[in-house]
């Protein structure tokens, strides 16, 4: 059984700035992001929201089955963050910096260009998937949709997987890419996003990738924490 690289039981706040634990400061982004997003969603003064829509949206049918990959997104992103946090600190750092850069760009976009979508259908039926979708609609507003955070987060996981030696095999990469694509498709089949939101999310990922992953894909696991981008050494 593979052991974690760091024994987090030894963590104390007084040791946050030490080389062993300073990567944990990157996790502070999550409460900051959550607070800003919550403000934009629930407490922002009334503004005009530009509706996101294109002709292709009307050709894509609603499919309740896509609520499964859509909901799996939370485990997909959280699982990779936890894996890298315990087993590959360089990959964790780069995944977090990718998320910080792209999610911050998304927040600025929502702030300067308020947008929404009006694509949700009237849900009929009382089966489990329909009820789950209804709860999802109730919990998540139809505002702040472009670029899609779901798309960005999904490809953040895929890029992190490419950055890890263990997942360099073709099967692993194909699996992560398939899931990222499936989650992205779920956003439009579930009518949570317009195709425009997905394309914008992909564009943000394409722009951020070379800024964060300058070292060739799969090499982060060969670089020791604290020397990313400077010197390579065998994986521990």
């Amino acid at each position: 059984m593979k052991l974690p690289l760091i024994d987090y039981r030894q963590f104390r706040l007084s040791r946050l700035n030490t080389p062993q634990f300073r990567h944990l400061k990157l996790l502070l982004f999550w409460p900051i992001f959550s607070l800003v997003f919550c403000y934009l969603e629930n407490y922002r003064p009334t503004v005009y929201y530009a509706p996101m829509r294109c002709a292709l949206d009307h050709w894509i049918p609603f499919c309740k089955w896509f609520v499964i990959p859509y909901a799996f997104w939370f485990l997909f992103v959280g699982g990779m963050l936890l894996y890298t946090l315990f087993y590959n600190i360089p990959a964790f750092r780069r995944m977090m910096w990718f998320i910080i850069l792209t999610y911050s760009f998304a927040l600025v976009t929502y702030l300067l260009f308020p947008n929404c979508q009006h694509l949700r259908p009237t849900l009929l039926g009382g089966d489990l998937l329909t009820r789950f979708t209804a709860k999802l609609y109730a919990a998540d507003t139809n505002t702040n949709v472009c670029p899609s955070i779901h798309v960005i987060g999904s490809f953040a996981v895929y890029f992190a997987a490419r950055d890890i030696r263990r997942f360099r095999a073709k099967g692993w990469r194909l699996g992560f890419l398939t899931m990222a694509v499936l989650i992205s498709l779920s956003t439009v089949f579930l009518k949570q996003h317009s195709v425009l939101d997905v394309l914008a999310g992909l564009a943000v990922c394409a722009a951020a990738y070379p800024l964060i992953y300058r070292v060739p894909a799969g090499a982060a696991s060969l670089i020791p924490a604290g020397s990313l981008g400077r010197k390579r050494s065998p994986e521990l």
Side-chain angles (χ1 to χ4, degrees), residues 68-236:
I68 298 174
Y70 189 91
F72 181 74
W73 176 83
F74 296 95
L75 183 60
F76 194 51
V77 175
M80 181 57 80
L81 282 172
L82 285 175
Y83 179 86
T84 54
L85 181 63
F86 282 99
Y87 300 115
N88 197 310
I89 305 304
F92 169 78
R93 290 178 183 274
R94 302 218 293 183
M95 181 181 178
M96 277 303 307
W97 279 117
F98 182 87
I99 287 175
I100 290 170
L101 178 61
T102 55
Y103 280 32
S104 296
F105 178 84
L107 289 179
V108 172
T109 302
Y110 302 155
L111 180 64
L112 300 180
F113 178 61
N115 54 76
C116 67
Q117 55 91 356
H118 300 296
L119 303 170
R120 292 176 175 179
T122 300
L123 297 177
L124 301 175
D127 60 278
L128 179 62
L129 292 178
T130 301
R131 295 200 308 270
F132 190 49
T133 303
K135 290 183 180 296
L136 179 66
Y137 281 1
D140 190 8
T141 73
N142 65 331
T143 59
N144 303 315
V145 293
C146 183
S148 169
I149 291 292
H150 253 65
V151 171
I152 295 172
S154 297
F155 279 89
V157 174
Y158 170 64
F159 295 148
R162 286 172 53 89
D163 211 28
I164 298 172
R165 191 177 195 177
R166 181 175 184 178
F167 299 135
R168 250 189 271 172
K170 185 176 180 180
W172 277 111
R173 287 194 177 186
L174 181 60
F176 278 103
L177 178 60
T178 300
M179 184 52 62
V181 171
L182 190 59
I183 292 173
S184 299
L185 290 175
S186 77
T187 67
V188 293
F189 279 96
L190 208 59
K191 299 301 179 181
Q192 282 288 89
H193 286 279
S194 164
V195 171
L196 297 177
D197 308 335
V198 174
L199 294 177
L202 292 175
V204 171
C205 290
Y209 181 85
L211 298 177
I212 303 300
Y213 292 95
R214 288 186 293 270
V215 178
S221 60
L222 303 178
I223 303 172
S227 59
L228 187 59
R230 296 196 299 272
K231 182 179 179 182
R232 296 188 183 185
S233 66
E235 183 180 21
L236 298 178

